[in-house]
Amino acid sequence: MARLPVPVRTRLAAERIGAHLTAWRKLQGLTAAQVADRAGVSRDTLRRLEHGETTVGLDVFLNVARVLGTLDRVVGTLDPYETDLGRARADQALPKRVRR
């Protein structure tokens, strides 16, 4: 099955995320080798993530974020209950209880 081309906005977001991870790594005085080792990935895989390649797995991204101390921020950013829309819709969209 052929892969669909990566949308431009997705590619640009991946590049920005990679640049942010690189900045976090450098701000903490960590080498790429140290981060790769602690995240359990190869130096080449970390390089690909830091350069915004979209084929790097989610597990790699999350492990690197964990090593850099940003994992909780990544998870929190996606929490719908931390948004006005999510809180407003939670009462309407989610069941009040689950029957067994």
Side-chain angles (χ1 to χ4, degrees):
M1 186 167 143
R3 262 183 82 107
L4 294 175
V6 177
V8 172
R9 286 189 65 190
T10 301
R11 186 173 37 77
L12 293 174
E15 290 172 3
R16 288 183 64 200
I17 289 169
H20 293 325
L21 292 171
T22 303
W24 273 109
R25 176 175 61 76
K26 290 179 178 180
L27 285 170
Q28 294 179 47
L30 296 170
T31 67
Q34 288 172 316
V35 172
D37 182 58
R38 294 174 189 179
V41 300
S42 70
R43 171 65 187 94
D44 185 59
T45 299
L46 178 63
R47 182 196 58 77
R48 289 176 35 234
L49 176 63
E50 289 185 345
H51 284 92
E53 290 190 23
T54 58
T55 57
V56 177
L58 179 62
D59 59 328
V60 172
F61 167 65
L62 295 174
N63 280 332
V64 170
R66 177 185 50 78
V67 168
L68 296 174
T70 60
L71 182 59
D72 290 340
R73 290 184 63 187
V74 169
V75 173
T77 298
L78 295 173
D79 184 351
Y81 300 110
E82 293 298 320
T83 67
D84 292 338
L85 175 63
R87 286 187 294 271
R89 294 292 308 241
D91 293 336
Q92 301 167 358
L94 297 177
K96 298 295 180 198
R97 63 182 177 161
V98 178
R99 295 182 185 196
R100 294 185 187 245

